[in-house]
Amino acid sequence: MKSLKPIDRLIESLAKLPSVGRKSAERMAYSLLENSDEDIQEFSDALLNLKQSIKKCPKCGLLIDSDNCPICDDPNRDKTKILVVSHYKDALAIENSDSYNGLYHILNGEISLNKGITVDSLNISSLEERVNEGVEEVIIATNPTIDGETTALYISKILNGSKANVTRLAYGLPMGGNLDYADQITLQKALEGRHKL
Amino acid sequence: MKSLKPIDRLIESLAKLPSVGRKSAERMAYSLLENSDEDIQEFSDALLNLKQSIKKCPKCGLLIDSDNCPICDDPNRDKTKILVVSHYKDALAIENSDSYNGLYHILNGEISLNKGITVDSLNISSLEERVNEGVEEVIIATNPTIDGETTALYISKILNGSKANVTRLAYGLPMGGNLDYADQITLQKALEGRHKL
């Protein structure tokens, strides 16, 4: 009994999703077979609709579904600050924390020797241009990982000649965390960054 | 910053896949945004193609992509035996074990009080008809779980009046397994089913 082409074809696409292996993709394909025709049609339409209706803000790189960027085109945002993040979802997380009112800049990734991601494939050159238009502070909020640190260092270097202050998010203990669960480097950074109470 | 409708729409569909939660669905949707247009088109087409080209064998219920069933229409298969499984994938597993040459019958599920699956939604009535057409043995190969056992008992009951022998797959230790890792019930069943060497 050979395997069925239409199922294998769908498994190929499903297995490309992040953290979905061959086995999970198989389970998904068989479960989709049991779905109603309407559900399948909706899934298929939602996929096609995605790329057609989601664009990137030409200035900051945020994902948008209209012609206006909810951040860049908002007159109430502080245009003297730019917060640099690796991915769109990081900007969403900062927005949801309700603690920032400036602009964003989405890099679309981090410099990575492992994954072969170089500076050229990131949205960095447009950051330089933006910074020269009266920005006073660039807050680098890439991840506290090797790739994120590399990216942060690179950006601070190329912005060296600009008038803007380049800052980095604080390192330390996560709120609600347990001291004895924290790793060595986090503890070290938390000690280094200690402040007066 | 509100969430984007086209992304939320796709997340809805992705979150319906088995063992995909809201968070995973989000990650998948954002990763799909980075895919090429061709990949998205192919994924969408593969979904639509699935239901259109996969049918069920009207006799045994196996999934087929042509008009012929590779089992029912194969003159070399032993037509006096029917092996009853809950799902298509179980039949595939038995086929891959190369240890069975009879016919199959796919129930498309198991009787489940928890999930509210009753006898009526399973492919059981057609099994009765098939058994009365000269079948000598019905091997029940539903899962060794509560639902699988319930289903096996029910089937053996309704086939009580037929001429076919109703058998059940053996319980016992899985090959290559470790005795001290086996659970109580498996050990009990393995002892009960002991045979002469």
Side-chain angles (χ1 to χ4, degrees):
Chain A
M1 200 154 64
K2 60 179 175 36
S3 64
L4 300 168
K5 276 226 182 82
I7 297 182
D8 284 344
R9 183 180 164 190
L10 182 60
I11 290 175
E12 289 294 324
S13 281
L14 288 166
K16 283 182 192 162
L17 293 171
S19 58
V20 173
R22 182 91 199 166
K23 270 273 166 198
S24 310
E26 275 179 20
R27 281 188 55 210
M28 288 174 180
Y30 287 115
S31 108
L32 281 166
L33 256 177
E34 304 299 322
N35 280 14
S36 69
D37 286 351
E38 292 79 44
D39 279 359
I40 297 280
Q41 185 71 51
E42 164 57 22
F43 193 170
S44 171
D45 289 349
L47 274 166
L48 291 183
N49 179 252
L50 183 73
K51 281 272 200 171
Q52 281 155 12
S53 40
I54 298 284
K55 285 167 284 190
K56 277 177 185 161
C57 169
K59 273 179 263 174
C60 69
L62 270 184
L63 300 177
I64 47 177
D65 60 356
S66 64
D67 286 335
N68 298 317
C69 174
I71 306 289
C72 295
D73 298 336
D74 183 344
N76 296 321
R77 307 286 302 204
D78 178 356
K79 304 245 180 334
T80 64
K81 287 189 178 69
I82 291 183
L83 191 141
V84 180
V85 291
S86 307
H87 299 285
Y88 172 72
K89 286 199 74 179
D90 302 330
L92 263 191
I94 302 254
E95 271 305 286
N96 289 337
S97 78
D98 252 337
S99 47
Y100 178 69
N101 193 37
L103 306 179
Y104 288 96
H105 190 86
I106 321 283
L107 297 175
N108 277 321
E110 291 171 343
I111 298 169
S112 172
L113 294 175
N114 286 338
K115 299 176 195 154
I117 300 172
T118 62
V119 173
D120 300 327
S121 59
L122 300 181
N123 183 23
I124 288 186
S125 57
S126 67
L127 177 62
E128 284 185 78
E129 290 163 31
R130 291 182 73 195
V131 169
N132 289 328
E133 291 163 5
V135 170
E136 292 166 11
E137 184 178 2
V138 176
I139 306 164
I140 306 182
T142 53
N143 290 316
T145 56
I146 293 179
D147 291 347
E149 290 298 308
T150 310
T151 313
L153 270 176
Y154 178 80
I155 292 174
S156 73
K157 227 171 192 176
I158 59 163
L159 294 183
N160 216 352
S162 75
K163 283 174 200 152
N165 283 318
V166 179
T167 58
R168 182 93 171 92
L169 286 193
Y171 305 99
L173 296 170
M175 295 302 291
N178 240 325
L179 206 113
D180 58 344
Y181 280 111
D183 63 288
Q184 254 186 327
I185 301 175
T186 302
L187 279 177
Q188 191 184 323
K189 294 281 183 189
L191 261 171
E192 279 171 20
R194 66 189 180 276
H195 55 271
K196 234 178 163 171
L197 271 182
Chain B
M1 200 152 68
K2 59 180 178 31
S3 64
L4 301 168
K5 277 225 182 82
I7 298 182
D8 283 345
R9 183 179 165 192
L10 182 60
I11 290 174
E12 288 295 323
S13 281
L14 287 165
K16 283 183 192 159
L17 293 170
S19 58
V20 173
R22 183 88 198 166
K23 271 275 167 196
S24 311
E26 276 179 20
R27 280 187 55 210
M28 288 174 180
Y30 287 114
S31 106
L32 282 166
L33 256 176
E34 305 299 321
N35 280 16
S36 69
D37 286 351
E38 292 77 46
D39 279 0
I40 297 280
Q41 185 71 52
E42 162 58 23
F43 193 170
S44 172
D45 289 349
L47 274 166
L48 291 183
N49 178 253
L50 183 73
K51 282 272 199 167
Q52 280 155 13
S53 39
I54 298 284
K55 285 167 283 189
K56 277 178 183 162
C57 168
K59 274 180 258 172
C60 69
L62 269 186
L63 301 177
I64 48 178
D65 59 357
S66 65
D67 285 336
N68 297 319
C69 174
I71 306 290
C72 295
D73 297 336
D74 181 344
N76 295 322
R77 306 286 301 205
D78 178 356
K79 303 244 181 334
T80 65
K81 287 189 179 66
I82 292 183
L83 190 139
V84 180
V85 290
S86 306
H87 300 285
Y88 172 71
K89 286 199 73 178
D90 302 330
L92 264 190
I94 302 253
E95 271 304 287
N96 289 336
S97 77
D98 253 337
S99 48
Y100 178 69
N101 193 38
L103 305 179
Y104 288 97
H105 190 86
I106 322 281
L107 297 175
N108 276 319
E110 291 172 343
I111 299 169
S112 172
L113 294 176
N114 286 336
K115 298 176 195 155
I117 301 173
T118 61
V119 172
D120 301 326
S121 59
L122 300 180
N123 183 23
I124 289 185
S125 58
S126 67
L127 176 63
E128 283 185 78
E129 291 164 30
R130 290 183 73 194
V131 169
N132 290 328
E133 289 162 7
V135 169
E136 291 167 12
E137 184 178 2
V138 176
I139 306 165
I140 306 182
T142 53
N143 291 315
T145 56
I146 294 180
D147 291 347
E149 289 298 306
T150 309
T151 313
L153 270 175
Y154 178 81
I155 292 173
S156 75
K157 226 169 193 177
I158 59 163
L159 295 183
N160 215 353
S162 75
K163 281 172 199 151
N165 284 319
V166 179
T167 58
R168 180 92 173 94
L169 287 193
Y171 303 101
L173 297 171
M175 294 303 291
N178 239 326
L179 207 111
D180 58 345
Y181 280 110
D183 63 288
Q184 254 185 328
I185 303 176
T186 302
L187 279 176
Q188 191 183 323
K189 294 282 182 187
L191 261 170
E192 278 173 20
R194 66 189 181 276
H195 54 271
K196 233 178 164 170
L197 270 182

